[in-house]
């Protein structure tokens, strides 16, 4: 089947001027012409044009495309394999770029100014941004959320490492209290519950007893929070929740 230059331009979504240029440089010359000298393209020409467009999208200059397509050792399957490899590589690079941009966006939103290496050193497997959008939706309008975001924006890597060390020390001591058999409403357990509240107040926002008991309920209701405390010591989520409630009642 023969196609006019206008039909090819419309089908391939290129300009007539582009097709004329490809003809002039020998990249895509029509297989025939009419008696009046007008260009006529056949199906093989359209297939070549499709390959040209693929390579152009990948950033190849016209002279290199011509050399690739005119290689006598290449066949259509070889071109497809090459394009698949190039596109796959490009997709991988784009995915890395998207991931980096998303990381930068989330870090800026949360105010955590750390490199990926520093974030891993500080937080390990825990990602403080994993539920950032949800946290903003649930608490974004509260004074506590605004205060937490404001403080976090000022913290350096050393600040976050100090926060991590304090929390790990608290975790070891509360696990030891559990192992001793002390009930959640014991003086020792309630003292550590109070220390937990003060840690939040010192690092993030003023944590009232009302807020603290709300957090305690979330520690056992939300599997994500439960899993965080269960990693410290199995059963800690429920134990801490009970201790927080007991502490709030005793100090009311």
């Amino acid at each position: 089947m023969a196609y006019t230059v206008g039909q090819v331009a419309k089908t391939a979504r290129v300009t007539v001027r582009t097709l004329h240029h490809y003809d002039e440089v020998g990249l895509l010359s029509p297989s025939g012409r009419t008696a009046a000298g007008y260009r006529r393209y056949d199906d093989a020409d359209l297939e070549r044009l499709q390959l040209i467009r693929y390579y152009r999208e990948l950033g190849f200059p016209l002279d290199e495309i011509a050399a690739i397509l005119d290689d006598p050792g290449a066949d259509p399957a070889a071109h497809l394999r090459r394009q698949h490899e190039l596109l796959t590589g490009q997709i991988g690079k784009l995915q890395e770029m998207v991931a980096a941009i998303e990381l930068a966006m989330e870090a800026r939103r949360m105010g955590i100014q750390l490199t990926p290496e520093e974030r891993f050193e500080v937080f390990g497997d825990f990602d403080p941004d994993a539920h950032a959008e949800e946290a903003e939706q649930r608490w974004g309008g509260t004074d506590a959320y605004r205060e937490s975001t404001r403080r976090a924006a000022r913290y350096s890597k050393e600040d976050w490492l100090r926060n991590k060390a304090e929390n790990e020390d608290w975790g070891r001591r509360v696990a030891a209290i559990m192992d001793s058999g002390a009930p959640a409403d014991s003086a020792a357990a309630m003292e550590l519950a109070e220390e937990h509240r003060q840690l939040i107040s010192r690092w993030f926002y003023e944590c009232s007893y009302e807020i603290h008991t709300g957090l305690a309920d979330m520690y056992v209701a939300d599997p994500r929070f439960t899993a965080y405390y269960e990693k410290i010591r199995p059963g800690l989520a429920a134990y801490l929740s009970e201790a927080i409630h007991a502490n709030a009642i005793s100090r009311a």
Side-chain angles (χ1 to χ4, degrees):
M1 183 174 179
Y3 305 89
T4 67
V5 67
Q7 289 173 322
V8 173
K10 183 177 181 180
T11 299
R13 297 181 180 178
V14 297
T15 66
V16 170
R17 183 176 180 179
T18 295
L19 292 173
H20 287 175
H21 179 64
Y22 287 173
D23 186 9
E24 291 167 1
V25 300
L27 181 60
L28 178 65
S29 297
S31 297
R33 289 181 181 269
T34 66
Y38 294 111
R39 296 172 175 83
R40 286 292 183 268
Y41 297 84
D42 61 16
D43 291 337
D45 296 330
L46 265 63
E47 289 181 9
R48 183 178 174 93
L49 177 58
Q50 186 178 44
L51 293 173
I52 292 169
R53 291 196 62 208
Y54 284 153
Y55 283 115
R56 286 296 288 160
E57 288 292 332
L58 290 167
F60 281 71
L62 296 183
D63 57 343
E64 289 188 22
I65 295 174
I68 293 170
L69 296 183
D70 294 333
D71 180 1
D75 58 23
H79 285 304
L80 290 173
R81 286 194 298 270
R82 179 180 175 84
Q83 289 158 10
H84 183 272
E85 292 172 0
L86 292 170
L87 285 169
T88 300
Q90 193 174 62
I91 288 170
K93 290 180 180 178
L94 289 172
Q95 288 175 332
E96 290 176 1
M97 290 174 63
V98 169
I101 291 170
E102 288 177 346
L103 177 61
M105 289 169 62
E106 291 293 345
R108 181 172 294 275
R109 176 163 57 183
M110 291 298 292
I112 301 174
Q113 305 299 323
L114 301 177
T115 67
E117 292 79 9
E118 289 174 334
R119 291 165 66 87
F120 184 81
E121 181 181 351
V122 172
F123 299 113
D125 294 333
F126 174 69
D127 182 1
D129 293 335
H131 308 294
E133 185 174 350
E134 178 186 349
E136 186 172 3
Q137 290 174 350
R138 293 177 66 176
W139 301 298
T142 66
D143 291 338
Y145 180 87
R146 286 190 289 268
E147 177 65 12
S148 177
T149 303
R150 185 186 67 79
R151 292 192 195 181
R154 303 198 313 262
Y155 292 155
S156 64
K157 171 188 171 182
E158 288 70 27
D159 292 324
W160 288 110
L161 286 172
R162 190 163 61 254
N163 170 266
K164 179 184 179 183
E166 289 183 10
N167 278 283
E168 289 177 345
D169 176 65
W170 174 88
R172 285 190 291 269
R173 286 184 287 116
V174 74
I177 289 294
M178 285 186 67
D179 291 339
S180 73
D185 59 354
S186 65
M190 288 192 292
E191 186 62 31
L192 283 169
E194 176 64 16
E195 185 178 333
H196 180 271
R197 187 186 70 84
Q198 292 176 5
L199 276 170
I200 296 172
S201 295
R202 185 164 66 254
W203 283 97
F204 299 107
Y205 55 85
E206 188 59 38
C207 184
S208 66
Y209 291 106
E210 181 181 3
I211 292 175
H212 203 209
T213 54
L215 291 174
D217 293 338
M218 193 164 57
Y219 294 161
V220 292
D222 190 320
R224 294 167 296 187
F225 286 99
T226 302
Y228 172 78
Y229 286 105
E230 294 298 295
K231 283 184 178 180
I232 298 175
R233 204 277 194 185
L236 178 57
Y239 185 88
L240 176 59
S241 178
E242 187 178 344
I244 289 172
H245 277 281
N247 180 60
I249 292 171
S250 70
R251 296 174 186 268

